[in-house]
């Protein structure tokens, strides 16, 4: 049961970190990118797709790094 609680805690921590990253991205990085590339980034679903892809890649990378190989 202890291992399950550790996994839940880790998922909660990763979710919190993803929320913080999303907020910082929305507040600082996206406005800068919109100024640099206004035509491409004016399409809202493109921004959402890029943000989702980056967050998913980061979360899966962190998860894979933390868990390590499953072989004993």
């Amino acid at each position: 049961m202890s291992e399950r609680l550790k996994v839940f805690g880790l998922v909660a921590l990763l979710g919190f970190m993803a929320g913080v990253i999303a907020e910082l991205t929305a507040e600082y990085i996206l406005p800068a990118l919109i100024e640099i590339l206004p035509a491409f980034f004016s399409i809202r679903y493109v921004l959402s797709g890029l943000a989702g892809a980056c967050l998913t890649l980061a979360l899966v990378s962190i998860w894979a790094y933390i868990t390590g190989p499953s072989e004993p």
Side-chain angles (χ1 to χ4, degrees):
M1 185 76 156
S2 159
E3 291 295 319
R4 185 172 292 182
L5 288 176
K6 287 180 186 177
V7 170
F8 283 142
L10 179 64
V11 169
L13 180 64
L14 289 176
F16 178 78
M17 289 173 26
V20 170
I21 291 169
E23 175 64 28
L24 292 174
T25 301
E27 190 167 334
Y28 297 109
I29 296 173
L30 289 182
L33 288 176
I34 289 171
E35 287 181 19
I36 295 170
L37 302 168
F40 182 70
F41 286 103
S42 64
I43 304 171
R44 193 76 177 155
Y45 65 88
V46 173
L47 291 175
S48 298
L50 288 174
C54 290
L55 285 174
T56 302
L57 183 61
L59 290 174
V60 169
S61 299
I62 292 169
W63 172 74
Y65 179 75
I66 290 174
T67 57
S70 61
E71 299 175 2

